[in-house]
Amino acid sequence: MGDQQGLPQFPLFINGESCEPTGGVFTPVINPATGETIAEIAQGTAEDVDTAVAAAREAFENPEWRKMNPEDRAALLEQCAGVIMQNMQELAVLESTTSGGTLARTMNLDLMVVVDVFMTLAEEVRNYPFVENLKPRPVPELTQSAVWKEPIGVCGLITAWNFPLLLLSWKVAPALAAGNTIVLKPAEITPTSTVRIVELLNSVLPKGVLNVVTGKGSVVGERLSVHPDVDKISFTGSTAMGKHVQTNCAMTMKRCTLELGGKGPGIVLPDADLDLTAQGALWGVYMNAGQACESGTRLLVHEDVYDEMVDKLVALSGKIILGNPIEPATGMGPMSTEAHFNTVMDYIQSARDEGARIACGGERAVVEGCEGGFFVEPTIIADATNDMKAAREEIFGPVLCVIKYSSVEEALAIANDTEYGLSAGIWTRDLVLAQEMARDLRAGSVWINDWHMIRTDAPFGGYKQSGYGREFGKYSLDSYLETKAVNIAFQRDPMAKPMQTLLHTHLLG
Ligand code: NAD
């Protein structure tokens, strides 16, 4: 579809077909690398959410979907992976032109992981214990019990703007694998790849199983999270909004899993390979221009190697190529919006004001051909302390706070001194010490001598205020299933039912 200026329009997708939002409103989608409007997106209403939820409910009630056998469901997930593979390039371009992620990465990493998520879930479905028989047990009458795992129902899946397709796949694949139906709500500013992938997946899924309503969080997300006929919300976004969504869910006791913010600490021990660490720590913080929840945004460096480490970080930061994410040579793209750019600059200023040293970067970057873009220079904040605002709050930009420590105990205390607990890391040659330290780090993922080591069969999620529930593989499947105990009595003789005689004392004669 296209509007009068020839811009592509992305409508809603409900019950197997594209449809206009009830209010008829479309709003611009901006490319953050250029500041230009590249598409228009439907502004869904609460009424649209209701229509989508009704479609998802009807699809869920169809036993052919809900009770599909695991082998057929696995085959369907593989078909989903196939459709995505065939349309990878188109999806990667939509992703990069809205989120600012480099095309080299969205094409060669993100989309590959999306496909892998569906393939891994296909494998998990084949092996998952959907029915488990417990050993018969006299309680006091002999009983046989089975534990069944069943889909929860209609799932509202709400995602953040930074990795729209990745975040979507982490939720959609397990929700489908478990036999649920879905209403998706992508972030306002990066919705195009989500609408397109939903349209593509609907070519293999039954109608009504996967729906998308785009629009404002305060309208669409809010309605989904309070809707009485939505059974589960899986939310990825900020901790503040996660708390609000969790409160909404409590009103109807919806199942709720939350993937929230982070302030990942990386600890550099004095024996670390500093070249490996410099490169890896910058990958940890500058990937997606720092707009990643699991980024390593605080680097805690032992006093013996602190100055050398900062020098290496500064030297390498200067080599990062900023540019249009579409260009193959670009290593780092822009901030997602102008407002977010201003927030990042304010954080850098706060570090200056609190006495830290901007060892490099700290300014707006002007990129040739992308003069309207929202680029921030790769920034190293040296002489930072853990009480500074820039070290405590999620900046979501290419900004690394480098903090000095003098003992392992002190490093662990600083690392854990945060409300978040999503990721943490250790840089050292001593793998025994690293594992000992990993036990003391309060984070859902710990990486040793690397960062962003996310695999599609290992759990990913938060401790503390980084949320709860886990994405990926069987860990994600668990959170899209209800558990039912089915108990079968063996005894037919009423006189041989000792528990019942507690009521029917007349039988005891
Ligand atoms: P956000 O909380 O502003 O928005 C997240 C989603 O919530 C969006 O789709 C938004 O439209 C929606 N929303 C807004 N108001 C709502 C409401 N009243 N009810 C329901 N939904 C509503 O977050 P963001 O700025 O889009 O994303 C950045 C944040 O996401 C960062 O804090 C980042 O750390 C976090 N994040 C976490 C993970 C993870 O896996 N832990 C992954 C990516 C991003």
Side-chain angles (χ1 to χ4, degrees), residues 157-163 167 170-171 185-189 215-225 233 235-242 244-245 248 258-262 291-294 394 396 420 422 460-462 466-467 471:
L157 309 182
I158 303 174
T159 52
W161 49 262
N162 49 348
F163 301 93
L167 301 180
W170 301 359
K171 299 181 189 311
K185 189 263 176 256
E188 289 87 335
I189 58 173
K216 285 192 178 149
S218 56
V219 176
V220 177
E222 184 72 17
R223 179 63 187 151
L224 260 183
S225 59
I233 293 284
F235 174 88
T236 297
S238 58
T239 293
M241 193 54 69
H244 174 73
V245 167
N248 279 351
L258 302 167
E259 293 292 342
L260 309 174
Q291 300 165 114
C293 50
E294 80 281 5
E394 206 182 24
F396 238 52
Y420 295 113
L422 193 58
F460 176 78
S466 290
E471 310 278 32

Side-chain angles (χ1 to χ4, degrees), residues 60-72:
F60 183 71
E61 294 306 339
N62 181 351
E64 281 184 33
W65 173 255
R66 207 173 64 246
K67 298 180 181 170
M68 184 183 284
N69 74 57
E71 189 52 46
D72 290 345

Side-chain angles (χ1 to χ4, degrees), residues 375-386:
F375 293 85
V376 175
E377 290 177 345
T379 301
I380 302 292
I381 300 179
D383 304 339
T385 54
N386 205 46

Side-chain angles (χ1 to χ4, degrees), residues 445-460:
S445 293
V446 175
W447 295 307
I448 298 169
N449 291 328
D450 207 336
W451 211 269
H452 300 303
M453 296 164 77
I454 291 176
R455 22 185 301 180
T456 59
D457 59 350
F460 176 78

